Amino acid sequence: MKPEYSIGIDIGGTNTDIGLVNSVGECVASYRIRTGNYSDPEEYVNHLMDSVLLLLETNKIKSMTGIGIGVPNGNFYTGCIDNAVNLNFKGEIPLRNMIQKRIDCKVVVTNDANAAAYGEMVYGGARGMKDFIMITLGTGVGSGIVVNGKMVYGHDGYAGELGHTIIFPGGRMCKCGRQGCLERYTSAGGIKRTYIELMKKEYGDLFTLEKEDAVSSKQISDAAEAGDPIAKKVFDFTGYILGLSLANAAAITSPKAIFLMGGPVKAGNILLDPLKKSFEENVLFYYKDKIKILVSHLNENEAAILGAAALTNME
Amino acid sequence: MKPEYSIGIDIGGTNTDIGLVNSVGECVASYRIRTGNYSDPEEYVNHLMDSVLLLLETNKIKSMTGIGIGVPNGNFYTGCIDNAVNLNFKGEIPLRNMIQKRIDCKVVVTNDANAAAYGEMVYGGARGMKDFIMITLGTGVGSGIVVNGKMVYGHDGYAGELGHTIIFPGGRMCKCGRQGCLERYTSAGGIKRTYIELMKKEYGDLFTLEKEDAVSSKQISDAAEAGDPIAKKVFDFTGYILGLSLANAAAITSPKAIFLMGGPVKAGNILLDPLKKSFEENVLFYYKDKIKILVSHLNENEAAILGAAALTNME
């Protein structure tokens, strides 16, 4: 008989969420550790696996399908994390092998955005869709692209890096070493940077904040909601940029829908209205009014956990 | 026994090439008509089919696999040409049905760039590759995207419109009704437009050419080859723009190679050197030095014809 449970792990730049998922796709228990606290991958994986074993033990789980992991630059083919720009771990980290030293089970690794897309396809709003794009806005900007019912991995497992397409050559410096990536404008940090730039433009030296940590994207969206014109302009700009980029991405894979998830999406229509307007204005005429821009139907953390867990059922 | 021959048709904005292709992928006879001379699709299809029947008759072909057609905005799912911006035929043209009124055989329609990609995959440099992109530079800029060995059609059959991604918002007016599409900078016409703009900037009112027809992209590449600094700058700019766009496209599907074909590609290193430089400079670090930029291994006209003909063997 097939085991009833599997473990789904969502590794983000800030937090790692570990979920115990049952066979009908419910996350019955979860645990969180701080990814950002670790710079040594050995130490991180040890704490991660202690947590996994604890989760299994406290829930009295004797057998499970396996462990699925969504992580920035997770490579489906090799099971490694490769040079993830939003993690403290540099170089190639053989995550799958490191985990299998601690536990004897199936371990599947993929990009965090791919895992989220998989969660949306299996349990969310993309059920029954064969062509869609999942965009995750957070510390970075990720994308999972599904074509004809299958995840696009590309020839080396690195496909789906929409966040690292250059939209302003010579623009903002990105952690990837280049300038002007989409991620630097539409991630949580990008939104904060836009706010700081606009405030400096408005108030000059009176505005002394320099670092993105000094303000949260939630504070900016709350201000926009309350009618603050600069905060509103921040989201108009963010929506415009993302809408244009998604219109261009649509011209490549012609999806039926584009799903959005992550912190900045919680701003709601403050972001979505200018985004949808920009998308429709910038998309090629034969895609107009055909491609839905949707907010993920799944809870943000759960989507990635469920998608990761579902990976363990794949062939 | 399977028939030995099939017909491949490559419909371009200027010319339509009709080829009789044998079972080993040789175009044994071909015929050309001027697409640009027709504005009535009925009249055009009648002349096209007269030519097909003549080709079969003069070569004494009694039976064949079918007719495969590559055409701008050809829809694989519906068999129609839909609002092709580079053809005189507007609206939805039910090409497959119109042809089948004249001949009783299998008829497969797809995008011209997809047909070229298919030709490259079956007979050219992409043999054995599962992930690659074909870029066709001509009257327009087309792209055929292959992921995991399969053509990307998208949910409605319109995928692969890299030429209509917006690279300069508010830029040059495109036939598609929007501004700043890649096509307006890197097609033959785009190259000519860049030349006219640079000449006007250099010589002001002394340079009186206005229309793109007044000069050919071949003349400009010949001038660049001979050392003309403005003509050279035209190709530096074209290569830069195309390299940046291909670097962005690579981040979406992570191909093993990108193939180029079409008139402007004949400029050789005058175009390819700045293109490759821009691609490597603008591509995300983990794709660097991994993705080959290659000129199609097939003769330009034949690739589309062979690809189209090969379509008739698909399930």
Side-chain angles (χ1 to χ4, degrees), chain A residues 73 82-83 85 131 145 147-148 150 152-162 164-167 169 176 178 240 244 248-249 251-256 281-288 290-291, chain B residues 73 82-83 85 131 145 147-148 150 152-162 164-167 169 176 178 240 244 248-249 251-256 281-288 290-291:
Chain A
N73 291 36
D82 299 326
N83 301 297
V85 295
D131 298 272
I145 297 164
V147 165
N148 209 16
K150 298 219 167 96
V152 177
Y153 287 114
H155 90 284
D156 55 1
Y158 293 127
E161 286 291 358
L162 192 67
H164 291 287
T165 52
I166 293 176
I167 52 159
C176 75
R178 299 172 309 153
Y240 165 72
L244 175 62
N248 282 347
I252 296 180
T253 67
S254 186
K256 192 171 174 65
E281 279 173 4
N282 288 304
V283 83
L284 186 55
F285 65 89
Y286 44 81
Y287 305 121
K288 270 189 208 302
K290 280 188 189 167
I291 302 170
Chain B
N73 292 34
D82 299 326
N83 300 298
V85 295
D131 298 272
I145 297 165
V147 165
N148 209 14
K150 299 221 166 94
V152 177
Y153 286 114
H155 91 282
D156 55 1
Y158 293 125
E161 286 292 358
L162 193 67
H164 291 287
T165 53
I166 293 176
I167 51 159
C176 75
R178 299 172 309 152
Y240 165 73
L244 174 62
N248 282 347
I252 296 180
T253 67
S254 185
K256 193 172 173 65
E281 279 173 3
N282 287 304
V283 84
L284 186 55
F285 64 89
Y286 43 81
Y287 305 121
K288 271 190 207 301
K290 280 189 189 164
I291 301 170

Side-chain angles (χ1 to χ4, degrees), chain A residues 210-228:
Chain A
E210 269 300 339
K211 292 196 174 170
E212 288 162 14
D213 305 353
V215 65
S216 75
S217 68
K218 170 89 169 63
Q219 283 172 314
I220 304 168
S221 68
D222 286 348
E225 194 73 59
D228 179 86

Side-chain angles (χ1 to χ4, degrees), chain A residues 121-144:
Chain A
M121 184 159 59
V122 176
Y123 305 114
R127 270 176 291 190
M129 281 189 196
K130 298 187 87 176
D131 298 272
F132 71 95
I133 297 177
M134 163 63 78
I135 302 292
T136 58
L137 304 178
T139 310
V141 172
S143 63

Side-chain angles (χ1 to χ4, degrees), chain A residues 12-308:
Chain A
T14 312
N15 295 312
T16 297
D17 288 301
I18 306 152
L20 179 66
V21 177
N22 69 16
S23 58
V24 294
E26 289 164 343
C27 181
V28 294
S30 68
Y31 198 83
R32 168 173 285 192
I33 64 173
R34 297 280 292 180
T35 325
N37 286 359
Y38 299 86
S39 54
D40 175 15
E42 285 284 352
E43 210 180 307
Y44 168 73
V45 172
N46 273 335
H47 189 184
L48 178 69
M49 289 313 297
D50 289 346
S51 312
V52 167
L53 296 174
L54 193 69
L55 198 61
L56 292 171
E57 199 183 305
T58 52
N59 289 279
K60 304 187 175 29
I61 308 299
K62 300 287 177 209
S63 77
M64 56 161 188
T65 322
I67 299 176
I69 303 161
V71 56
N73 291 36
N75 192 305
F76 178 77
Y77 298 141
T78 65
C80 294
I81 308 174
D82 299 326
N83 301 297
V85 295
N86 290 316
L87 295 181
N88 293 335
F89 317 131
K90 301 306 166 208
E92 189 175 271
I93 315 297
L95 185 63
R96 187 172 61 204
N97 290 350
M98 289 166 83
I99 288 174
Q100 285 177 329
K101 277 184 191 158
R102 289 284 306 269
I103 192 168
D104 179 24
C105 72
K106 180 178 183 179
V107 176
V108 183
V109 174
T110 191
N111 186 304
D112 51 341
N114 288 347
Y118 206 76
E120 201 69 36
M121 184 159 59
V122 176
Y123 305 114
R127 270 176 291 190
M129 281 189 196
K130 298 187 87 176
D131 298 272
F132 71 95
I133 297 177
M134 163 63 78
I135 302 292
T136 58
L137 304 178
T139 310
V141 172
S143 63
I145 297 164
V146 174
V147 165
N148 209 16
K150 298 219 167 96
M151 195 67 67
V152 177
Y153 287 114
H155 90 284
D156 55 1
Y158 293 127
E161 286 291 358
L162 192 67
H164 291 287
T165 52
I166 293 176
I167 52 159
F168 289 121
R172 293 181 189 167
M173 199 68 214
C174 184
K175 285 184 197 166
C176 75
R178 299 172 309 153
Q179 288 179 270
C181 290
L182 177 65
E183 174 162 310
R184 290 309 300 134
Y185 296 85
T186 62
S187 64
I191 290 169
K192 293 187 259 181
R193 175 54 47 200
T194 302
Y195 178 73
I196 291 168
E197 284 184 6
L198 287 179
M199 286 297 277
K200 280 201 175 297
K201 200 175 156 199
E202 186 74 19
Y203 297 108
D205 290 345
L206 287 174
F207 187 77
T208 53
L209 295 183
E210 269 300 339
K211 292 196 174 170
E212 288 162 14
D213 305 353
V215 65
S216 75
S217 68
K218 170 89 169 63
Q219 283 172 314
I220 304 168
S221 68
D222 286 348
E225 194 73 59
D228 179 86
I230 291 183
K232 215 179 154 311
K233 206 168 172 183
V234 169
F235 279 93
D236 285 351
F237 176 73
T238 309
Y240 165 72
I241 294 298
L242 192 54
L244 175 62
S245 283
L246 295 182
N248 282 347
I252 296 180
T253 67
S254 186
K256 192 171 174 65
I258 299 173
F259 292 87
L260 303 167
M261 69 159 64
V265 182
K266 291 176 190 148
N269 289 338
I270 292 285
L271 172 67
L272 294 175
D273 286 348
L275 194 166
K276 288 178 181 173
K277 181 168 175 279
S278 169
F279 181 82
E280 288 298 335
E281 279 173 4
N282 288 304
V283 83
L284 186 55
F285 65 89
Y286 44 81
Y287 305 121
K288 270 189 208 302
D289 301 319
K290 280 188 189 167
I291 302 170
K292 291 194 179 80
I293 307 283
L294 299 168
V295 173
S296 166
H297 290 199
L298 297 174
N299 167 288
E300 181 189 348
N301 291 327
E302 278 202 356
I305 285 178
L306 295 179

